[in-house]
Amino acid sequence: GGDGWTATLASDPAADGLEWPSVFSPADTQIAARKFRHTFTTRYGHEPDAVSALGHDAALTVLEAIRRGGTTRTGVRDALAAPGLVVEGVTGPISFQRGDRIGRGGGLVRVRNGALTLDLRWADLLAP
């Protein structure tokens, strides 16, 4: 499957065993992900998915760029391009190099017995 598959897919019995790469999983046990999941679920009444997490991180990043560079297009652009910008998002640390995001969170999500699991984090593949 693709990154846009939602957490609600797990409730379908036919989905058992499916797996897909994702930048976020509500099954992630890291502190930032758990906090985001709790806040999101409390507010909206359902589990967040990767799109929700990316929207959250995009808003955090733009707000930090405004804080650093002001509200003009140039100020925001320059703040996003600055080497010192690192925003700790629920999808991992966010910074940019030549306009591209560097570093990412996420991993391999799988449906097991009606629940999502995070089987592997991308960072685990890079560990010595």
Side-chain angles (χ1 to χ4, degrees):
D3 203 29
W5 281 16
T6 67
T8 58
L9 180 68
S11 63
D12 186 333
D16 199 58
L18 292 176
E19 62 184 359
W20 63 94
S22 185
V23 296
F24 174 79
S25 169
D28 193 336
T29 58
Q30 294 184 69
I31 293 170
R34 287 192 338 240
K35 182 178 176 185
F36 173 69
R37 177 182 180 220
H38 173 75
T39 303
F40 186 95
T41 304
T42 299
R43 184 168 206 177
Y44 299 109
H46 61 89
E47 295 279 348
D49 59 13
V51 175
S52 305
L54 288 169
H56 172 270
D57 285 359
L60 282 181
T61 304
V62 169
L63 289 171
E64 181 62 18
I66 290 170
R67 188 184 72 71
R68 290 178 181 218
T71 58
T72 66
R73 272 180 94 92
T74 303
V76 170
R77 183 197 63 217
D78 291 348
L80 290 172
L85 176 78
V86 178
V87 175
E88 293 300 327
V90 296
T91 62
I94 302 163
S95 60
F96 300 94
Q97 186 175 44
R98 293 186 302 276
D100 293 324
R101 181 177 176 182
I102 55 174
R104 249 173 239 243
L108 189 61
V109 177
R110 183 185 304 260
V111 178
R112 279 203 175 92
N113 301 318
L116 290 180
T117 62
L118 184 60
D119 283 2
L120 171 77
R121 283 191 180 85
W122 303 137
D124 296 340
L125 296 173
L126 304 173

